[in-house]
Amino acid sequence: MTTEPERDPVEPDDVRTARAAIDAYRSRTDPPPEQPEVTGGARGTDDRVDDQVAECIAREAWDAVIAVTPPPPDPATDPGPAVEPPEVAERRAQAVAIVRGLRQLGYHLDESLLPGPDMAAG
């Protein structure tokens, strides 16, 4: 398990983006305070997030990119270059920032979740 370091008021944008993604994930997955924590909870009483949860957060970010990515044009009917919609570019940049921020916070992510050369923002 990795303990999140104290928040630095001058931390990089990627780290702030990753922390926001962690907070959003926690707000969706943590049990209400009056209920005992169930197996698989994202956070315990010590306020830690493990690498597996960090991978879930990164995977959700990439899934959001895939969800808004239109299918590629058919070369038989549209031979022109494909133009990436602004929403896809924005989601991709956010996913890259989340992954980079999680890495800067010390989380170990599966290599398939890391930005690669074929990604516009990576």
Side-chain angles (χ1 to χ4, degrees), residues 6-98:
E6 291 296 316
R7 294 181 189 224
D8 181 356
V10 191
E11 63 190 6
D13 288 340
D14 291 347
V15 171
R16 281 195 300 272
T17 302
R19 287 189 194 278
I22 290 169
D23 290 343
Y25 183 86
R26 285 176 170 168
S27 70
R28 291 189 320 272
T29 60
D30 280 353
E34 65 275 359
Q35 293 181 1
E37 184 148 349
V38 293
T39 311
R43 177 175 62 171
T45 56
D46 59 0
D47 208 24
R48 293 182 182 191
V49 173
D50 63 19
D51 290 341
Q52 183 179 5
V53 171
E55 283 193 10
C56 288
I57 293 166
R59 196 170 314 283
E60 283 183 3
W62 289 121
D63 288 348
V65 174
I66 292 168
V68 297
T69 302
D74 181 5
T77 60
D78 186 8
V83 177
E84 185 173 68
E87 182 180 11
V88 175
E90 182 180 325
R91 294 276 177 109
R92 185 181 314 278
Q94 183 176 20
V96 168
I98 289 170

